[in-house]
Amino acid sequence: MTALTAAIANLKGGVGKSTTTVMLADGLAFYYGMNVLVIDLDPQANSSQMLLTERGVQAASDQGKGVHHVLASFMEGKTPSAAPFIMPNAVTLEELRRAEENDERLGWISSLPSHPHLRLRELSLEEEWYSRSGTPTTLSDALARFFREAFEPLLPLYDVILLDCPPHLSPLARAGLLLADAFITPTIADSVSTWGTKQFSDWVGKFIAPDLPGRNFVVVTRFRDTKYARSVASDLREIYLKDRWFGPTIPESIHVLNAMDRAAPDSYDTFRGKYAGVSSDVRRLAERFTDFMTQRTGGTWAKVRD
Amino acid sequence: MGESPGLTPVEYLDRFFDELRAEVRSNPVLAARLVKALGGNVVFEDAAKADVASPYALATGPKANFMSVFGAMKLGDIKKVLKENNLASRVDMNGKSAAQLVEMMYERAAMKVHERKSSMF
């Protein structure tokens, strides 16, 4: 079995990409015992912060872990390799940590984190590349080849690789999209997000994945239960993106914000303690995405926890 | 502003301040917000501290000040502060004494302040 690589992406900012990434990683690891790798391609490093804390992101960088170090190895012409740059433990859930302690790993999360330095590293790479008559397209293609080769030996180790992509189309972001087997599109039930999602969907369909509809999993996030929001969400499903897979609607909730603020690098919480009022939404997200994975890969996953 | 017939300006404003005073007495959170808005420095009673004391604000100053506020709190209030400020989960707090929890609160609040405060200041 080889990992499904899914890009969590939308050119519209603020639609919950990083939150969806972390909820999905937690849900798949907790309920299905999946081995999940989260790759953060966004220099804002939000999902890295949510998994590792600010201190943890900095510590990872200091230890030579992170996407910006992978980019450095690309710039130095080294043999593609990703394993040395991965943080093997990005688990925040007490149940997963305890199972590991008892030598019965039932789900795990690793991280190839980002760091704000990533954008600086990208800029210097782009300047160097363009000074040698390269173009954004040739750079994103070269990065995609490098990453693909670097991750090839790791694919059998994971069930799913989640690529948290930034809300822009830098060469690195485009490389991430080129690596993806599937595309997870978080969006909000309002007019600006709907239009932004349409723009992104059209671009990906044209330049990255002509068969996008069957590979696209849409999640309506930060949902406020108003007549207007219900109408927009319904139009998304029935009209604008009617040929896509839809995950559950994730409600706007203070619990989600709290759940993403890890107290310290050595802080753990139970699944229900972390997600409280949105626990059942995270469970449904994991269930629905596992159905999507089964349809994409033919693999099956049984629940290890209720 | 129109005049209220039969009341002097002082009596008129007194009614407003009486209402405000009554609310501040029963609502320490509002009291803390008003004091903060006015830029004042006041001491709250122990019972109100769990509602109004900010571990992040106090972690920017000497540890002794931090300890004088939170070290005097009851276990339940310490846990409440930790939980409401996202400084510890239930799992993190399990089996720890009040003194251990306050120490953890200080370390984690100081760490977050250090990580989040702009180095431009």
Side-chain angles (χ1 to χ4, degrees):
Chain A
M1 195 70 184
T2 186
L4 175 90
T5 303
I8 295 91
N10 191 335
L11 284 185
K12 174 77 177 67
V15 292
K17 288 185 286 295
S18 298
T19 311
T20 302
T21 302
V22 173
M23 286 196 297
L24 199 50
D26 277 343
L28 295 173
F30 181 82
Y31 283 109
Y32 290 91
M34 289 193 201
N35 203 12
V36 182
L37 172 64
V38 177
I39 301 176
D40 191 353
L41 295 178
D42 189 343
Q44 293 183 77
N46 292 154
S47 60
S48 303
Q49 179 190 351
M50 291 167 187
L51 290 170
L52 304 172
T53 75
E54 298 99 307
R55 176 68 54 101
V57 168
Q58 189 56 49
S61 179
D62 294 344
Q63 293 166 32
K65 313 286 188 189
V67 175
H68 54 307
H69 292 293
V70 181
L71 272 196
S73 75
F74 172 81
M75 292 168 77
E76 291 159 10
K78 292 187 175 165
T79 305
S81 171
F85 306 105
I86 292 173
M87 291 290 285
N89 178 7
V91 162
T92 68
L93 296 175
E94 172 69 357
E95 294 92 339
L96 304 186
R97 186 194 69 78
R98 207 182 305 139
E100 171 75 0
E101 213 170 69
N102 296 334
D103 288 333
E104 45 172 18
R105 181 176 281 196
L106 297 171
W108 199 249
I109 300 172
S110 305
S111 160
L112 178 56
S114 181
H115 187 280
H117 284 168
L118 174 60
R119 189 60 197 131
L120 301 175
R121 189 66 54 85
E122 276 187 276
L123 283 173
S124 86
L125 168 61
E126 287 167 23
E127 280 188 6
E128 189 185 314
W129 191 268
Y130 303 152
S131 72
R132 290 186 278 142
S133 305
T135 66
T137 300
T138 59
L139 178 54
S140 57
D141 288 346
L143 284 169
R145 277 195 303 275
F146 185 84
F147 273 83
R148 191 170 285 119
E149 203 175 322
F151 282 102
E152 184 73 41
L154 302 178
L155 293 178
L157 303 177
Y158 298 103
D159 295 288
V160 61
I161 296 175
L162 300 175
L163 292 158
D164 184 12
C165 296
H168 54 71
L169 291 171
S170 69
L172 178 62
R174 288 166 63 183
L177 296 174
L178 287 167
L179 294 172
D181 304 312
F183 301 86
I184 300 169
T185 313
T187 187
I188 297 177
D190 63 28
S191 59
V192 287
S193 301
T194 299
W195 193 60
T197 300
K198 174 247 185 313
Q199 302 298 328
F200 179 65
S201 177
D202 288 355
W203 188 89
V204 172
K206 186 172 180 184
F207 294 105
I208 305 281
D211 55 344
L212 177 66
R215 297 162 65 182
N216 195 190
F217 184 87
V218 181
V219 186
V220 176
T221 67
R222 297 185 182 163
F223 185 74
R224 284 188 189 184
D225 193 10
T226 63
K227 190 178 171 189
Y228 171 72
R230 282 197 296 276
S231 159
V232 174
S234 166
D235 290 348
L236 272 169
R237 286 170 186 272
E238 308 297 330
I239 304 171
Y240 307 126
L241 301 172
K242 65 181 291 188
D243 46 3
R244 317 298 163 92
W245 277 70
F246 270 80
T249 299
I250 307 293
E252 182 173 63
S253 162
I254 192 69
H255 289 309
V256 174
L257 294 175
N258 283 346
M260 297 306 156
D261 188 8
R262 193 179 185 187
D266 60 347
S267 174
Y268 295 89
D269 204 351
T270 58
F271 183 84
R272 277 176 183 74
K274 179 171 180 176
Y275 286 107
V278 289
S279 295
S280 59
D281 299 292
V282 179
R283 176 176 51 76
R284 283 203 297 275
L285 178 66
E287 288 169 349
R288 186 75 177 140
F289 190 74
T290 304
D291 290 343
F292 174 74
M293 284 176 68
T294 296
Q295 180 261 339
R296 289 294 314 158
T297 66
T300 54
W301 289 267
K303 273 192 172 162
V304 297
R305 295 181 181 88
D306 286 321
Chain B
M1 194 169 74
E3 289 179 24
S4 179
L7 289 178
T8 67
V10 171
E11 288 168 333
Y12 184 82
L13 288 172
D14 267 354
R15 293 200 309 194
F16 167 74
F17 284 118
D18 282 346
E19 286 299 320
L20 187 62
R21 202 172 287 118
E23 184 60 25
V24 161
R25 234 178 237 123
S26 63
N27 187 345
V29 175
L30 174 68
R33 282 170 51 201
L34 292 176
V35 168
K36 191 176 170 192
L38 292 166
N41 188 20
V42 299
V43 176
F44 283 91
E45 291 173 5
D46 284 349
K49 278 180 183 166
D51 291 321
V52 302
S54 163
Y56 296 108
L58 285 164
T60 61
K63 187 175 179 181
N65 284 1
F66 187 99
M67 291 300 176
S68 72
V69 173
F70 295 107
M73 278 187 187
K74 292 176 183 158
L75 185 65
D77 287 335
I78 295 168
K79 288 185 173 180
K80 184 180 172 190
V81 173
L82 280 163
K83 190 80 185 147
E84 288 184 350
N85 287 279
N86 280 341
L87 283 168
S89 68
R90 258 182 231 283
V91 173
D92 297 340
M93 292 189 274
N94 270 350
K96 290 197 171 64
S97 67
Q100 287 171 319
L101 289 175
V102 173
E103 192 61 39
M104 181 168 77
M105 188 194 300
Y106 177 76
E107 283 175 12
R108 290 183 173 187
M111 181 177 74
K112 289 212 169 187
V113 167
H114 177 74
E115 302 298 338
R116 293 177 180 182
K117 191 175 177 187
S118 169
S119 54
M120 300 298 287
F121 292 101

